Amino acid sequence: MAEQQATTVSSTHKLVVKNIGLMLSGDIERPILEADTLIAIGGRIAAVGRFKDLDTDQADTVIDANGTVLSPGLIDSHVHPVAGDWTPRQNQFGWIDSTMHGGVTTMISAGEVHTPGRPKDIVGLKAMAIYAQRAFTAFRPGGVKVHAGAPVIEPGMVEQDFKDLADAGVRLLGEVGLGGVKDGARAREMVAWARKYGIQSTIHTGGPSIPGSGLIGADVVLEADTDVVGHINGGHTALPDKEIRCICEGCKRGLELVHNGNERAALYTLRVAREMDELQRVILGTDGPAG
Ligand SMILES: [Zn+2]
């Protein structure tokens, strides 16, 4: 496995990418840019436009895109990393690097739940979250930025635990429901503590997946009130359409569609979000790695 760290460029390094056939903005209101050239200085985008209008002189690096498409790196909102680019799922090496080849440059952990022997006690789960946050900050598999360190809530956690996690740099909660907390009322209290300290949350929506997970229906999802409705199209078994609609209409939180879910339910969610004119709530993830 090739160990790759993030490449850093000098603050004056000038990159010109020219002959871009189609440039995507990443903004759903204005998806296509009138541009065929991009200039980055010191690793940051400095200008976008037509080649003839831009100062492309004295570039350190010139890339000829040969008419291909340039788009912002994709963000995978739902992954389960373990250690570097290894996972015990099918004993894979390089799954993050492979995802990068699909255009993903940023990943958000929904919990390091595939870790063999994952601790469930409170001190242990906090320690593991801090470890994962540190390890993935210091190491970018295939260059991908992995936001990890997403503890799964367990019964007995108190407000101070969320403050401790936030003080230590943890910014995410793993999927609510993959641990011992499965009821809406208790989840809601902990999710609110997490939010108070700047920790973003998500929930396992739908049928059970890994051992220890359970069915999470619309009532629990709405009561828990996480920032993201994790895999609303099932991970992998989806809820009935009626419950999906009830979640979409019953809250203003992010609606996450995952690849490792039910495709029909994903399209149904998309249709409901479009009907509501709330497509900006829809985010995409993979729930990788999985079988
Ligand atoms: Zn899940």
Side-chain angles (χ1 to χ4, degrees):
M1 183 174 66
E3 296 241 330
Q4 241 177 304
Q5 296 293 346
T7 42
T8 48
V9 294
S10 77
S11 62
T12 57
H13 182 276
K14 184 170 180 177
L15 166 73
V16 173
V17 186
K18 61 177 188 177
N19 289 329
I20 297 164
L22 176 69
M23 203 184 303
L24 302 177
S25 68
D27 177 359
I28 199 168
E29 301 297 334
R30 188 172 160 246
I32 296 171
L33 298 173
E34 274 304 313
D36 61 7
T37 302
L38 177 144
I39 298 174
I41 311 277
R44 287 182 177 273
I45 295 172
V48 161
R50 292 282 165 204
F51 185 82
K52 59 175 172 48
D53 303 328
L54 297 174
D55 172 17
T56 55
D57 290 347
Q58 275 153 5
D60 297 289
T61 307
V62 177
I63 296 174
D64 187 336
N66 279 316
T68 53
V69 176
L70 185 82
S71 84
L74 301 176
I75 301 169
D76 184 338
S77 70
H78 194 129
V79 295
H80 294 290
V82 173
D85 213 348
W86 172 76
T87 172
R89 285 288 187 267
Q90 290 85 41
N91 203 20
Q92 294 175 74
F93 282 101
W95 68 278
I96 297 175
D97 191 64
S98 291
T99 311
M100 187 274 290
H101 287 287
V104 171
T105 54
T106 302
M107 289 180 162
I108 315 287
S109 175
E112 295 77 38
V113 292
H114 301 162
T115 303
R118 168 167 68 99
K120 308 269 172 71
D121 65 294
I122 294 165
V123 170
L125 74 87
K126 285 162 67 180
M128 195 181 90
I130 296 163
Y131 154 74
Q133 188 274 335
R134 294 292 188 280
F136 281 99
T137 299
F139 178 65
R140 293 172 61 158
V144 176
K145 186 189 289 177
V146 183
H147 295 282
V152 173
I153 55 173
E154 294 288 349
M157 289 182 81
V158 296
E159 180 172 346
Q160 184 65 36
D161 292 315
F162 295 88
K163 183 173 189 309
D164 292 346
L165 285 162
D167 288 347
V170 171
R171 295 286 174 267
L172 299 166
L173 278 193
E175 285 173 71
V176 171
L178 294 187
V181 176
K182 299 189 194 300
D183 64 290
R186 200 152 39 157
R188 185 185 188 86
E189 184 176 42
M190 292 188 189
V191 163
W193 286 332
R195 185 174 292 126
K196 178 174 171 186
Y197 296 106
I199 297 174
Q200 178 182 294
S201 53
T202 185
I203 190 164
H204 174 91
T205 309
S209 59
I210 61 169
S213 68
L215 167 70
I216 307 270
D219 49 344
V220 175
V221 171
L222 291 174
E223 189 170 13
D225 192 32
T226 51
D227 298 306
V228 173
V229 179
H231 55 61
I232 191 168
N233 63 317
H236 42 73
T237 311
L239 294 173
D241 290 355
K242 204 168 66 213
E243 291 198 47
I244 291 176
R245 177 175 286 279
C246 167
I247 292 169
C248 294
E249 294 177 351
C251 71
K252 292 289 172 199
R253 302 300 185 189
L255 304 172
E256 182 187 71
L257 307 179
V258 298
H259 171 260
N260 296 344
N262 181 299
E263 289 178 23
R264 199 198 58 78
L267 293 172
Y268 178 76
T269 307
L270 200 56
R271 214 163 54 233
V272 173
R274 193 186 286 134
E275 268 174 39
M276 296 169 64
D277 197 22
E278 291 183 359
L279 277 178
Q280 79 286 352
R281 287 172 61 196
V282 176
I283 57 174
L284 302 176
T286 57
D287 206 356

